[in-house]
Amino acid sequence: QVQLVESGGGLVQAGGSLRLSCAASGRTFSIYSMGWFREAPGKEREFVASITWSGGSTGVASSVKGRYTISRDNAKNTVYLQMNSLKPEDTAVYYCAAQPLGSAKYAHWGQGTQVTVSS
């Protein structure tokens, strides 16, 4: 099993920045990719960004491209999401997830961290 714990959420004004962290523990050697997703009130959970655990290849949703950056620190088993130029529509619960080797799905999820952007 892989355990994920997010941190770094909070309240920020529009135009501000936040950095989310996701610390992984347990069978981290079984991780292929880590991703960030978000879920706003009344909306479905959506993909935000991903990064492969070993190679560091990244993907970012078009809605946050140029504003969000995903990175990892393998020594700390931690993935980060740097969020700049935040907008009120970025308000959501942000979830970290891990995709196991050999799987097409994200099988492990964190508890989520709230990000609120005020106008």
Side-chain angles (χ1 to χ4, degrees):
Q1 273 288 54
V2 174
Q3 293 79 42
L4 304 172
V5 178
E6 302 102 330
S7 61
L11 173 64
V12 64
Q13 288 189 331
S17 299
L18 281 174
R19 189 178 80 155
L20 305 183
S21 299
C22 174
S25 61
R27 298 170 61 89
T28 57
F29 59 86
S30 68
I31 297 173
Y32 168 70
S33 174
M34 296 285 291
W36 286 98
F37 294 76
R38 67 185 182 185
E39 187 171 336
K43 295 187 177 181
E44 292 186 354
R45 189 173 298 187
E46 64 174 355
F47 168 81
V48 175
S50 66
I51 187 166
T52 56
W53 198 242
S54 58
S57 296
T58 62
V60 180
S62 56
S63 58
V64 303
K65 204 166 192 176
R67 300 189 297 122
Y68 288 18
T69 303
I70 188 170
S71 62
R72 80 204 191 288
D73 184 335
N74 287 57
K76 296 182 178 180
N77 286 337
T78 299
V79 173
Y80 304 98
L81 186 68
Q82 178 67 44
M83 306 184 295
N84 299 327
S85 302
L86 283 162
K87 306 174 182 180
E89 51 264 42
D90 294 320
T91 295
V93 177
Y94 283 70
Y95 296 91
C96 175
Q99 178 185 9
L101 289 163
S103 173
K105 297 183 179 181
Y106 287 89
H108 308 287
W109 293 83
Q111 81 287 355
T113 185
Q114 177 71 47
V115 171
T116 302
V117 184
S118 63
S119 57

